[in-house]
Amino acid sequence: MELSTEREDGVLSLLLDGRLDGSNVSEFDEQVRAAIEDSGSIVVMDFEKLRYISSAGLRSVLMTARTLGNKNVGFALCSLSEQIREVFEISGFDKIIAVHQSRADAIAALKG
């Protein structure tokens, strides 16, 4: 799993590539914590290149959402594949975390 970041106009985009599972979730957590320390007001996690997420990965995403919520930072997910969207729907996480079709849609929704 690779995590890269992009910052533009007060928006931090976290771009995931590969698989997020128990074998790399600790490293992912550390990278996300470092990235969101000075995140600004909006964070979007882009799953366009994410191929797989395990329950450990889901938990990590939920913890990120809670951390950002406690800081009053807007957070959303975008560009989920059909398979990953299904995982979020079955787990009910799509009711807890905003999910959008594209990064532009997520940013627009969070900026209001």
XYZ file of all heavy atoms in Angstrom:
852
model
N 0.845 -1.172 0.000
C 0.000 0.000 0.000
C 0.888 1.232 0.000
O 1.819 1.319 0.765
C -0.862 -0.011 1.263
C -2.203 0.647 1.176
S -2.351 2.423 1.126
C -1.367 2.947 2.469
N 0.575 2.144 -0.880
C 1.282 3.414 -0.928
C 0.301 4.525 -0.616
O -0.851 4.484 -1.041
C 1.889 3.644 -2.311
C 3.035 2.711 -2.634
C 3.660 3.031 -3.986
O 3.725 4.216 -4.347
O 4.062 2.079 -4.657
N 0.787 5.517 0.131
C -0.016 6.690 0.453
C 0.745 7.916 -0.010
O 1.906 8.108 0.348
C -0.264 6.773 1.962
C -0.983 8.035 2.448
C -2.439 8.014 1.994
C -0.898 8.150 3.952
N 0.093 8.720 -0.833
C 0.690 9.991 -1.237
C -0.290 11.098 -0.868
O -1.475 10.846 -0.633
C 1.020 9.996 -2.726
O -0.124 9.741 -3.496
N 0.210 12.308 -0.797
C -0.630 13.436 -0.403
C -0.530 14.559 -1.422
O 0.489 14.708 -2.103
C -0.220 13.982 0.980
O 1.132 14.447 0.916
C -0.343 12.919 2.056
N -1.599 15.308 -1.494
C -1.644 16.525 -2.301
C -2.336 17.582 -1.467
O -3.332 17.300 -0.801
C -2.425 16.300 -3.603
C -1.774 15.363 -4.569
C -2.592 15.158 -5.848
O -3.635 15.834 -6.024
O -2.185 14.308 -6.647
N -1.785 18.789 -1.492
C -2.399 19.911 -0.773
C -2.690 21.023 -1.765
O -1.827 21.426 -2.526
C -1.464 20.434 0.308
C -1.211 19.446 1.408
C -0.213 20.020 2.432
N 0.217 19.013 3.361
C -0.403 18.700 4.494
N -1.482 19.352 4.849
N 0.067 17.756 5.283
N -3.941 21.517 -1.712
C -4.327 22.607 -2.596
C -5.515 23.343 -1.996
O -6.529 22.729 -1.646
C -4.694 22.060 -3.974
C -4.989 23.144 -4.977
C -5.271 22.603 -6.366
O -4.811 21.490 -6.689
O -5.957 23.294 -7.116
N -5.397 24.644 -1.873
C -6.487 25.504 -1.395
C -7.107 25.027 -0.084
O -8.330 24.948 0.044
C -7.588 25.629 -2.463
C -7.097 26.308 -3.725
O -6.191 27.161 -3.626
O -7.614 25.985 -4.810
N -6.277 24.664 0.888
C -6.782 24.249 2.196
C -7.332 22.838 2.239
O -7.929 22.431 3.232
N -7.142 22.080 1.164
C -7.631 20.703 1.101
C -6.443 19.750 1.069
O -5.533 19.900 0.264
C -8.494 20.470 -0.162
C -8.927 19.013 -0.255
C -9.692 21.402 -0.179
N -6.467 18.786 1.976
C -5.464 17.717 1.978
C -6.110 16.486 1.361
O -7.131 16.000 1.859
C -5.009 17.399 3.402
C -4.138 16.153 3.567
C -2.815 16.296 2.822
C -3.903 15.853 5.038
N -5.518 16.007 0.271
C -5.997 14.777 -0.357
C -5.012 13.666 -0.036
O -3.803 13.825 -0.226
C -6.106 14.944 -1.871
O -7.068 15.918 -2.191
N -5.532 12.555 0.471
C -4.737 11.364 0.771
C -5.074 10.338 -0.299
O -6.219 9.892 -0.400
C -5.086 10.819 2.154
C -4.934 11.787 3.323
C -5.509 11.179 4.593
C -3.478 12.158 3.517
N -4.095 9.979 -1.109
C -4.322 9.073 -2.230
C -3.748 7.699 -1.890
O -2.547 7.574 -1.654
C -3.676 9.643 -3.492
C -4.201 11.030 -3.852
C -3.133 12.052 -3.581
C -4.659 11.070 -5.255
N -4.614 6.694 -1.857
C -4.213 5.340 -1.511
C -4.052 4.500 -2.768
O -4.856 4.617 -3.688
C -5.253 4.689 -0.605
C -5.314 5.196 0.832
C -5.909 6.577 0.900
C -6.134 4.244 1.667
N -3.036 3.646 -2.761
C -2.765 2.791 -3.913
C -2.404 1.400 -3.403
O -1.516 1.260 -2.574
C -1.603 3.383 -4.725
C -1.390 2.682 -6.059
O -1.949 1.593 -6.259
O -0.644 3.227 -6.884
N -3.109 0.382 -3.882
C -2.784 -0.992 -3.498
C -3.813 -1.603 -2.581
O -5.014 -1.479 -2.796
N -3.323 -2.248 -1.527
C -4.167 -2.956 -0.564
C -3.951 -2.377 0.829
O -2.831 -2.104 1.216
C -3.783 -4.434 -0.512
C -3.980 -5.188 -1.802
C -3.403 -6.589 -1.733
N -3.891 -7.354 -0.620
C -4.943 -8.181 -0.652
N -5.598 -8.344 -1.776
N -5.316 -8.848 0.417
N -5.039 -2.200 1.573
C -4.958 -1.753 2.963
C -5.488 -2.880 3.826
O -6.683 -3.182 3.815
C -5.762 -0.468 3.162
C -5.788 0.112 4.569
C -4.373 0.366 5.086
C -6.605 1.395 4.600
N -4.557 -3.536 4.529
C -4.943 -4.693 5.339
C -4.052 -4.776 6.580
O -3.251 -3.883 6.841
C -4.897 -5.979 4.525
C -3.549 -6.252 3.896
O -2.513 -5.865 4.479
O -3.519 -6.874 2.812
N -4.196 -5.839 7.319
C -3.459 -6.012 8.574
C -1.955 -5.968 8.416
O -1.240 -5.605 9.355
N -1.453 -6.287 7.252
C -0.005 -6.315 7.055
C 0.606 -4.916 6.946
O 1.807 -4.756 7.135
C 0.357 -7.130 5.804
O -0.051 -6.452 4.632
N -0.212 -3.916 6.635
C 0.358 -2.580 6.456
C -0.433 -1.475 7.157
O -0.103 -0.305 7.015
C 0.490 -2.255 4.965
C -0.821 -2.349 4.223
O -1.892 -2.282 4.795
N -0.741 -2.511 2.917
N -1.436 -1.833 7.946
C -2.291 -0.816 8.547
C -1.540 0.034 9.572
O -1.807 1.236 9.689
C -3.577 -1.439 9.139
C -3.293 -2.172 10.436
C -4.653 -0.388 9.322
N -0.573 -0.530 10.286
C 0.195 0.270 11.256
C 0.996 1.354 10.558
O 1.014 2.510 10.998
C 1.130 -0.621 12.075
O 0.382 -1.488 12.879
N 1.640 0.988 9.467
C 2.398 1.968 8.682
C 1.454 3.030 8.115
O 1.764 4.229 8.123
C 3.138 1.269 7.552
C 3.934 2.198 6.670
C 4.602 1.476 5.504
O 4.715 0.237 5.523
O 4.999 2.178 4.558
N 0.299 2.598 7.627
C -0.706 3.516 7.102
C -1.140 4.505 8.187
O -1.197 5.708 7.947
C -1.898 2.725 6.571
C -3.071 3.571 6.168
C -3.056 4.277 4.975
C -4.194 3.655 6.969
C -4.140 5.053 4.596
C -5.275 4.425 6.605
C -5.255 5.124 5.415
N -1.438 3.995 9.378
C -1.855 4.853 10.488
C -0.810 5.923 10.784
O -1.146 7.093 10.968
C -2.110 4.031 11.752
C -3.382 3.218 11.691
O -4.262 3.519 10.852
O -3.504 2.267 12.494
N 0.444 5.532 10.826
C 1.527 6.485 11.089
C 1.604 7.545 10.007
O 1.749 8.742 10.306
C 2.867 5.749 11.188
C 3.028 4.915 12.425
C 4.329 4.117 12.426
O 5.298 4.560 11.772
O 4.361 3.067 13.080
N 1.508 7.133 8.757
C 1.582 8.089 7.651
C 0.400 9.052 7.666
O 0.561 10.249 7.427
C 1.635 7.351 6.313
C 2.925 6.603 6.088
C 2.898 5.790 4.797
O 1.867 5.615 4.163
N 4.063 5.287 4.403
N -0.775 8.538 7.962
C -1.964 9.391 8.007
C -1.861 10.370 9.168
O -2.135 11.564 9.007
C -3.257 8.545 8.098
C -4.458 9.420 8.430
C -3.489 7.797 6.793
N -1.459 9.883 10.340
C -1.300 10.782 11.498
C -0.357 11.931 11.177
O -0.633 13.083 11.497
C -0.793 10.013 12.719
C -1.895 9.519 13.631
C -1.357 9.065 14.976
N -0.413 7.966 14.888
C -0.737 6.696 14.834
N -2.001 6.336 14.868
N 0.185 5.761 14.767
N 0.762 11.618 10.549
C 1.728 12.657 10.192
C 1.126 13.639 9.183
O 1.324 14.856 9.300
C 2.998 12.024 9.626
N 0.386 13.137 8.227
C -0.182 13.990 7.173
C -1.267 14.916 7.710
O -1.367 16.068 7.273
C -0.734 13.134 6.042
N -2.076 14.440 8.663
C -3.216 15.241 9.118
C -2.878 16.169 10.279
O -3.730 16.946 10.692
C -4.441 14.368 9.469
C -4.170 13.474 10.677
C -4.891 13.562 8.260
C -5.383 12.681 11.149
N -1.657 16.135 10.763
C -1.287 17.018 11.869
C -1.596 18.472 11.557
O -2.087 19.205 12.400
C 0.193 16.862 12.213
C 0.472 15.704 13.121
C 1.926 15.620 13.517
O 2.657 16.626 13.378
O 2.337 14.551 13.975
N -1.276 18.902 10.363
C -1.559 20.280 9.943
C -2.419 20.255 8.679
O -2.104 20.869 7.678
C -0.266 21.054 9.719
C 0.627 20.437 8.649
O 0.408 19.259 8.302
O 1.527 21.135 8.161
N -3.525 19.541 8.771
C -4.327 19.226 7.590
C -5.099 20.400 7.016
O -5.474 20.378 5.865
C -5.302 18.094 7.916
O -6.143 18.474 8.974
N -5.367 21.414 7.803
C -6.255 22.463 7.310
C -7.687 22.118 7.668
O -7.936 21.452 8.667
N -8.631 22.529 6.840
C -10.034 22.366 7.209
C -10.747 21.221 6.505
O -11.851 20.860 6.869
C -10.787 23.668 6.937
O -10.706 23.987 5.562
N -10.113 20.637 5.472
C -10.760 19.565 4.715
C -9.747 18.476 4.380
O -8.635 18.765 3.941
C -11.364 20.109 3.397
C -12.508 21.080 3.704
C -11.847 18.984 2.498
C -13.074 21.767 2.475
N -10.159 17.214 4.595
C -9.343 16.061 4.211
C -10.207 15.125 3.373
O -11.320 14.779 3.774
C -8.786 15.305 5.441
C -8.040 14.054 5.015
C -7.889 16.216 6.274
N -9.681 14.743 2.220
C -10.373 13.798 1.339
C -9.459 12.590 1.141
O -8.301 12.738 0.791
C -10.709 14.437 -0.025
C -11.307 13.400 -0.964
C -11.644 15.618 0.150
N -9.995 11.408 1.402
C -9.253 10.169 1.191
C -9.727 9.581 -0.135
O -10.897 9.220 -0.281
C -9.488 9.214 2.358
C -8.445 8.138 2.492
S -8.616 7.165 4.030
C -7.792 8.215 5.224
N -8.820 9.531 -1.100
C -9.138 9.118 -2.463
C -8.773 7.638 -2.650
O -7.610 7.266 -2.565
C -8.365 9.990 -3.450
C -8.794 9.802 -4.883
O -9.221 8.682 -5.241
O -8.688 10.771 -5.650
N -9.785 6.815 -2.912
C -9.610 5.364 -3.036
C -9.541 4.906 -4.489
O -9.684 3.725 -4.770
C -10.775 4.643 -2.360
C -10.709 4.581 -0.862
C -9.770 5.288 -0.136
C -11.610 3.809 -0.162
C -9.719 5.216 1.241
C -11.574 3.719 1.222
C -10.625 4.430 1.921
N -9.324 5.816 -5.416
C -9.362 5.452 -6.837
C -8.446 4.274 -7.163
O -8.812 3.391 -7.946
C -8.976 6.648 -7.712
C -9.064 6.335 -9.186
C -8.777 7.541 -10.063
O -8.395 8.604 -9.553
O -8.951 7.400 -11.282
N -7.260 4.209 -6.566
C -6.309 3.145 -6.873
C -6.237 2.071 -5.786
O -5.403 1.182 -5.854
C -4.920 3.739 -7.106
C -4.868 4.629 -8.332
C -3.486 5.151 -8.578
C -3.457 6.015 -9.825
N -2.115 6.542 -10.077
N -7.138 2.155 -4.798
C -7.170 1.140 -3.746
C -7.884 -0.093 -4.286
O -9.005 -0.005 -4.783
C -7.885 1.669 -2.504
C -7.794 0.777 -1.282
C -6.364 0.757 -0.738
C -8.761 1.237 -0.204
N -7.231 -1.247 -4.202
C -7.806 -2.481 -4.742
C -8.503 -3.336 -3.694
O -9.363 -4.154 -4.025
C -6.712 -3.308 -5.422
C -6.124 -2.639 -6.663
C -5.173 -3.549 -7.403
N -4.237 -4.269 -6.553
C -3.029 -3.824 -6.184
N -2.606 -2.649 -6.586
N -2.250 -4.559 -5.419
N -8.104 -3.186 -2.421
C -8.653 -4.053 -1.375
C -8.547 -3.346 -0.035
O -7.570 -2.642 0.223
C -7.863 -5.369 -1.321
C -8.254 -6.267 -0.180
C -9.370 -7.092 -0.267
C -7.528 -6.272 1.000
C -9.739 -7.911 0.796
C -7.886 -7.093 2.067
C -8.993 -7.903 1.953
O -9.356 -8.702 3.006
N -9.568 -3.537 0.821
C -9.513 -3.043 2.189
C -10.062 -4.121 3.113
O -11.112 -4.715 2.839
C -10.280 -1.707 2.338
C -10.025 -1.094 3.713
C -11.754 -1.888 2.054
C -10.459 0.366 3.822
N -9.331 -4.400 4.180
C -9.753 -5.403 5.164
C -10.467 -4.708 6.323
O -10.565 -3.475 6.364
C -8.531 -6.147 5.705
O -7.779 -5.281 6.551
N -10.928 -5.499 7.273
C -11.576 -4.919 8.450
C -10.601 -4.038 9.235
O -10.999 -3.020 9.800
C -12.143 -6.021 9.353
O -11.121 -6.901 9.761
N -9.329 -4.399 9.245
C -8.316 -3.556 9.906
C -8.209 -2.213 9.194
O -8.082 -1.160 9.829
C -6.960 -4.257 9.919
N -8.285 -2.222 7.884
C -8.252 -0.991 7.116
C -9.487 -0.139 7.367
O -9.397 1.082 7.505
N -10.651 -0.785 7.433
C -11.890 -0.067 7.740
C -11.793 0.623 9.091
O -12.176 1.789 9.237
C -13.083 -1.028 7.743
C -13.584 -1.524 6.407
C -14.615 -2.617 6.612
C -14.163 -0.387 5.591
N -11.281 -0.094 10.069
C -11.138 0.477 11.411
C -10.224 1.693 11.374
O -10.496 2.714 12.010
C -10.597 -0.569 12.379
C -10.455 -0.055 13.796
C -9.851 -1.118 14.731
N -9.742 -0.630 16.073
C -8.828 0.242 16.511
N -7.943 0.747 15.674
N -8.800 0.628 17.770
N -9.134 1.603 10.639
C -8.197 2.705 10.535
C -8.845 3.931 9.902
O -8.651 5.063 10.367
C -6.969 2.278 9.731
O -6.064 3.338 9.627
N -9.624 3.722 8.849
C -10.323 4.835 8.199
C -11.321 5.457 9.175
O -11.431 6.687 9.272
C -11.010 4.362 6.903
C -11.912 5.445 6.329
C -9.965 3.935 5.875
N -12.038 4.628 9.923
C -12.988 5.136 10.905
C -12.277 5.946 11.988
O -12.752 7.017 12.384
C -13.771 3.982 11.541
C -14.787 4.377 12.605
C -15.854 5.302 12.029
C -15.428 3.139 13.220
N -11.140 5.479 12.453
C -10.383 6.208 13.479
C -9.895 7.555 12.931
O -9.903 8.561 13.647
C -9.213 5.375 13.996
C -9.644 4.097 14.721
S -10.925 4.333 15.978
C -10.044 5.330 17.157
N -9.509 7.578 11.673
C -9.112 8.840 11.045
C -10.295 9.800 11.018
O -10.157 10.983 11.349
C -8.588 8.595 9.611
O -7.445 7.738 9.671
C -8.222 9.894 8.924
N -11.461 9.294 10.634
C -12.665 10.129 10.599
C -12.971 10.694 11.983
O -13.302 11.881 12.120
C -13.851 9.313 10.082
N -12.861 9.885 13.012
C -13.134 10.349 14.381
C -12.116 11.391 14.830
O -12.479 12.396 15.440
C -13.147 9.174 15.349
C -14.374 8.327 15.209
C -14.440 7.269 16.258
N -15.666 6.511 16.120
C -15.868 5.345 16.654
N -14.928 4.764 17.364
N -17.014 4.721 16.492
N -10.852 11.143 14.539
C -9.804 12.090 14.903
C -10.064 13.441 14.251
O -9.984 14.492 14.900
C -8.416 11.557 14.476
O -8.158 10.345 15.191
C -7.317 12.561 14.764
N -10.364 13.428 12.962
C -10.617 14.677 12.247
C -11.904 15.342 12.724
O -11.967 16.564 12.838
C -10.654 14.420 10.741
C -9.307 14.035 10.139
C -9.474 13.554 8.699
C -8.317 15.192 10.205
N -12.913 14.549 13.017
C -14.164 15.096 13.544
C -13.948 15.822 14.857
O -14.532 16.885 15.091
N -13.097 15.268 15.711
C -12.785 15.905 16.991
C -12.058 17.228 16.807
O -12.083 18.084 17.692
C -11.960 14.974 17.877
C -12.756 13.796 18.382
O -13.985 13.843 18.434
N -12.073 12.730 18.745
N -11.409 17.395 15.662
C -10.692 18.639 15.346
C -11.534 19.578 14.471
O -11.049 20.588 13.995
C -9.395 18.325 14.589
C -8.373 17.571 15.385
C -7.147 17.322 14.522
C -6.041 16.642 15.279
N -4.825 16.502 14.456
N -12.797 19.196 14.236
C -13.696 19.956 13.353
C -13.134 20.115 11.946
O -13.258 21.171 11.331
C -14.038 21.316 13.967
C -14.880 21.182 15.210
O -15.762 20.331 15.271
N -14.587 21.983 16.205
N -12.512 19.061 11.454
C -11.977 19.031 10.099
C -12.926 18.194 9.247
O -13.263 17.064 9.605
C -10.551 18.421 10.073
C -10.053 18.241 8.652
C -9.587 19.276 10.881
N -13.370 18.745 8.128
C -14.244 18.013 7.220
C -13.514 16.822 6.615
O -12.343 16.927 6.259
N -14.204 15.680 6.506
C -13.579 14.460 6.001
C -14.560 13.716 5.115
O -15.748 13.598 5.437
C -13.160 13.565 7.167
C -12.537 12.265 6.753
C -11.316 12.238 6.116
C -13.181 11.063 7.001
C -10.723 11.031 5.739
C -12.603 9.845 6.634
C -11.375 9.840 6.002
N -14.058 13.216 3.992
C -14.882 12.411 3.091
C -13.996 11.436 2.331
O -12.781 11.629 2.227
C -15.639 13.300 2.118
N -14.634 10.420 1.797
C -13.986 9.437 0.935
C -14.484 9.657 -0.486
O -15.600 10.135 -0.685
C -14.341 8.020 1.368
C -14.111 7.652 2.819
C -14.622 6.238 3.090
C -12.653 7.770 3.175
N -13.660 9.267 -1.444
C -14.120 9.374 -2.826
C -13.508 8.288 -3.696
O -12.538 7.635 -3.312
C -13.786 10.756 -3.401
S -12.034 11.043 -3.686
N -14.117 8.128 -4.854
C -13.618 7.256 -5.925
C -13.473 5.799 -5.502
O -12.501 5.131 -5.841
C -12.286 7.794 -6.465
O -12.395 9.144 -6.850
N -14.468 5.286 -4.772
C -14.438 3.890 -4.346
C -14.813 2.989 -5.519
O -15.776 3.275 -6.238
C -15.428 3.643 -3.208
C -15.014 4.077 -1.809
C -14.912 5.583 -1.689
C -15.998 3.538 -0.790
N -14.070 1.905 -5.682
C -14.443 0.909 -6.686
C -15.746 0.250 -6.239
O -16.158 0.365 -5.078
C -13.350 -0.150 -6.820
O -13.290 -0.943 -5.642
N -16.373 -0.451 -7.143
C -17.635 -1.126 -6.801
C -17.439 -2.092 -5.632
O -18.253 -2.148 -4.713
C -18.170 -1.865 -8.028
C -19.535 -2.464 -7.817
C -20.086 -3.106 -9.077
O -19.840 -2.585 -10.177
O -20.756 -4.144 -8.932
N -16.351 -2.855 -5.655
C -16.077 -3.829 -4.598
C -15.865 -3.150 -3.247
O -16.420 -3.574 -2.230
C -14.838 -4.651 -4.959
C -14.422 -5.627 -3.890
C -13.104 -6.327 -4.230
O -12.567 -6.187 -5.304
N -12.590 -7.071 -3.278
N -15.097 -2.079 -3.225
C -14.825 -1.399 -1.955
C -16.064 -0.650 -1.476
O -16.369 -0.641 -0.281
C -13.590 -0.494 -2.079
C -12.349 -1.397 -2.225
C -13.453 0.435 -0.877
C -11.051 -0.689 -2.448
N -16.822 -0.083 -2.394
C -18.075 0.584 -2.010
C -19.011 -0.432 -1.341
O -19.651 -0.128 -0.337
C -18.759 1.200 -3.227
C -20.075 1.895 -2.883
C -20.704 2.552 -4.083
N -19.915 3.652 -4.565
C -19.958 4.892 -4.055
N -20.765 5.145 -3.053
N -19.216 5.856 -4.556
N -19.061 -1.634 -1.879
C -19.902 -2.685 -1.304
C -19.472 -3.011 0.129
O -20.311 -3.193 1.016
C -19.842 -3.937 -2.181
C -20.831 -5.000 -1.791
C -20.826 -6.148 -2.778
O -21.148 -5.920 -3.954
O -20.484 -7.277 -2.354
N -18.161 -3.075 0.365
C -17.645 -3.331 1.718
C -18.119 -2.228 2.670
O -18.558 -2.505 3.789
C -16.101 -3.438 1.721
C -15.542 -3.448 3.134
C -15.654 -4.679 0.956
N -18.046 -0.978 2.223
C -18.483 0.140 3.063
C -19.988 0.086 3.304
O -20.448 0.390 4.409
C -18.064 1.483 2.442
C -16.683 1.902 2.850
C -15.573 1.376 2.214
C -16.486 2.797 3.886
C -14.291 1.743 2.592
C -15.213 3.166 4.282
C -14.117 2.646 3.637
N -20.756 -0.306 2.310
C -22.202 -0.397 2.472
C -22.593 -1.534 3.411
O -23.439 -1.353 4.291
C -22.878 -0.564 1.107
C -22.810 0.691 0.268
C -23.280 0.492 -1.162
O -23.590 -0.661 -1.561
O -23.328 1.498 -1.899
N -21.980 -2.702 3.239
C -22.297 -3.858 4.084
C -21.942 -3.573 5.546
O -22.680 -3.931 6.455
C -21.575 -5.123 3.573
C -22.204 -5.562 2.253
C -21.609 -6.242 4.606
C -21.432 -6.638 1.525
N -20.810 -2.907 5.762
C -20.370 -2.605 7.125
C -21.126 -1.431 7.739
O -21.054 -1.206 8.939
C -18.864 -2.293 7.135
O -18.613 -1.085 6.425
N -21.849 -0.678 6.903
C -22.564 0.493 7.391
C -21.695 1.736 7.512
O -22.168 2.785 7.944
N -20.446 1.631 7.111
C -19.530 2.766 7.234
C -19.920 3.911 6.304
O -19.576 5.058 6.563
C -18.089 2.341 6.966
C -17.423 1.694 8.150
C -18.121 0.892 9.023
C -16.078 1.890 8.382
C -17.498 0.287 10.111
C -15.441 1.293 9.467
C -16.164 0.488 10.331
N -20.646 3.605 5.225
C -21.087 4.667 4.326
C -22.128 5.565 4.987
O -22.401 6.661 4.514
C -21.623 4.094 3.013
C -22.865 3.239 3.210
O -22.959 2.524 4.230
O -23.741 3.280 2.330
N -22.700 5.118 6.107
C -23.647 5.933 6.879
C -22.906 6.815 7.886
O -23.465 7.787 8.386
C -24.631 5.038 7.635
C -25.370 4.043 6.780
C -26.447 4.694 5.964
C -27.323 3.701 5.269
N -26.876 3.294 3.962
N -21.654 6.481 8.176
C -20.855 7.201 9.171
C -19.928 8.205 8.502
O -19.698 9.298 9.024
C -20.020 6.200 10.007
C -20.948 5.215 10.725
C -19.129 6.922 11.000
C -20.214 4.035 11.334
N -19.385 7.827 7.352
C -18.410 8.646 6.634
C -18.989 8.988 5.262
O -19.456 8.108 4.545
C -17.075 7.882 6.455
C -16.506 7.447 7.808
C -16.065 8.738 5.706
C -15.345 6.475 7.703
N -18.928 10.265 4.906
C -19.434 10.699 3.593
C -18.614 10.064 2.478
O -17.381 10.044 2.542
C -19.368 12.219 3.491
N -19.305 9.541 1.470
C -18.672 8.912 0.316
C -19.157 9.617 -0.949
O -20.367 9.790 -1.133
C -19.010 7.404 0.246
C -18.405 6.778 -0.994
C -18.543 6.682 1.497
N -18.211 10.023 -1.809
C -18.551 10.749 -3.030
C -17.944 10.059 -4.240
O -16.961 9.330 -4.135
C -18.046 12.190 -2.938
C -18.671 12.940 -1.805
N -19.897 13.537 -1.894
C -18.241 13.144 -0.534
C -20.200 14.098 -0.741
N -19.211 13.869 0.108
N -18.531 10.335 -5.408
C -18.077 9.715 -6.655
C -16.665 10.140 -7.031
O -15.882 9.339 -7.512
C -19.026 10.075 -7.803
C -20.369 9.413 -7.714
C -20.289 7.912 -7.939
O -19.366 7.401 -8.572
N -21.238 7.185 -7.406
N -16.348 11.422 -6.854
C -15.050 11.941 -7.280
C -14.480 12.858 -6.212
O -15.196 13.303 -5.303
C -15.201 12.729 -8.583
O -15.908 13.926 -8.339
N -13.202 13.160 -6.346
C -12.558 14.069 -5.407
C -13.185 15.460 -5.515
O -13.428 16.121 -4.514
C -11.052 14.126 -5.665
C -10.339 14.779 -4.514
C -8.842 14.817 -4.585
N -8.195 13.899 -5.495
C -6.934 14.000 -5.848
N -6.178 14.972 -5.381
N -6.382 13.140 -6.675
N -13.466 15.889 -6.732
C -14.095 17.200 -6.925
C -15.452 17.264 -6.223
O -15.781 18.274 -5.589
C -14.245 17.495 -8.412
N -16.247 16.189 -6.307
C -17.545 16.139 -5.633
C -17.368 16.213 -4.120
O -18.112 16.903 -3.437
C -18.302 14.857 -5.988
C -18.788 14.812 -7.421
O -18.786 15.858 -8.095
O -19.159 13.699 -7.866
N -16.391 15.478 -3.598
C -16.137 15.469 -2.155
C -15.738 16.854 -1.671
O -16.253 17.341 -0.655
C -15.055 14.454 -1.814
N -14.839 17.501 -2.392
C -14.369 18.830 -2.006
C -15.524 19.831 -2.059
O -15.716 20.628 -1.131
C -13.195 19.274 -2.882
C -11.969 18.396 -2.577
C -12.872 20.743 -2.659
C -10.823 18.537 -3.572
N -16.309 19.770 -3.119
C -17.456 20.677 -3.251
C -18.440 20.493 -2.099
O -18.923 21.478 -1.529
C -18.141 20.465 -4.596
N -18.720 19.248 -1.739
C -19.648 18.971 -0.643
C -19.105 19.486 0.686
O -19.836 20.052 1.496
C -19.937 17.478 -0.570
N -17.812 19.288 0.924
C -17.217 19.713 2.190
C -17.071 21.227 2.284
O -17.151 21.786 3.378
C -15.850 19.038 2.387
C -15.925 17.542 2.656
C -14.529 16.925 2.572
C -16.536 17.263 4.022
N -16.877 21.880 1.158
C -16.777 23.346 1.172
C -18.154 23.999 1.277
O -18.249 25.167 1.602
C -16.039 23.843 -0.069
C -14.540 23.597 0.004
C -13.811 24.287 -1.114
C -12.300 24.162 -0.908
N -11.560 24.873 -1.953
N -19.186 23.204 0.992
C -20.558 23.667 1.151
C -20.965 24.606 0.083
O -21.756 25.426 0.069
